[in-house]
Amino acid sequence: MAYTADILDSLVPITQFNRGQASKIFDRLHSESRLIVLKNNQPAAIILSPSEFQRLSEIEEDYTLLLEATRRLKEDSSSTSSREDVMSELGISEADLAAAGDVVME
């Protein structure tokens, strides 16, 4: 029920823009992540706060990267090597790794 109340609170009739209340509407984005603009009582647009837009953009980017990684894993599964194989090939032992300690990247 709370979700429905949140949606109802985020509705903004387009007539408020026509009445010069755009500044007041945009101020609401400081406390709300999105507003739904209604035209003829139908959703016509969504206005997102900058933080919500950034959050959704990051989710989209992460999903795109996940799809690409999944595709590459399926495509290149025969050319992957285990950790043990790589360490053996490079002549690195577990003791060598333990002795190396933490590396700080700048």
Side-chain angles (χ1 to χ4, degrees), residues 31-54:
S31 60
E32 301 178 51
S33 61
R34 66 184 170 278
L35 297 173
I36 302 168
V37 179
L38 298 176
K39 182 177 182 181
N40 298 324
N41 293 323
Q42 297 293 319
I46 306 290
I47 303 172
L48 300 175
S49 68
S51 61
E52 181 68 1
F53 178 78
Q54 181 179 2

Side-chain angles (χ1 to χ4, degrees), residues 4-91:
T4 303
D6 289 343
I7 290 176
L8 291 175
D9 289 340
S10 69
L11 298 177
V12 178
I14 200 163
T15 55
Q16 287 186 358
F17 285 96
N18 297 337
R19 293 181 185 148
Q21 297 178 2
S23 179
K24 179 180 169 184
I25 294 167
F26 290 127
D27 285 343
R28 288 178 58 186
L29 291 171
H30 295 292
S31 60
E32 301 178 51
S33 61
R34 66 184 170 278
L35 297 173
I36 302 168
V37 179
L38 298 176
K39 182 177 182 181
N40 298 324
N41 293 323
Q42 297 293 319
I46 306 290
I47 303 172
L48 300 175
S49 68
S51 61
E52 181 68 1
F53 178 78
Q54 181 179 2
R55 186 185 76 81
L56 292 174
S57 295
E58 288 172 1
I59 289 171
E60 179 184 26
E61 182 180 347
D62 290 346
Y63 183 70
T64 301
L65 292 172
L66 175 64
L67 290 176
E68 178 64 16
T70 303
R71 183 192 64 77
R72 287 182 183 183
L73 283 172
K74 286 180 183 176
E75 195 174 273
D76 300 334
S77 62
S78 62
S79 65
T80 59
S81 301
S82 69
R83 179 177 188 261
E84 292 78 17
D85 291 342
V86 171
M87 288 177 60
S88 174
E89 185 178 316
L90 296 174

Side-chain angles (χ1 to χ4, degrees), residues 92-103:
I92 301 172
S93 68
E94 289 292 335
D96 294 333
L97 289 178
D102 292 334
V103 176

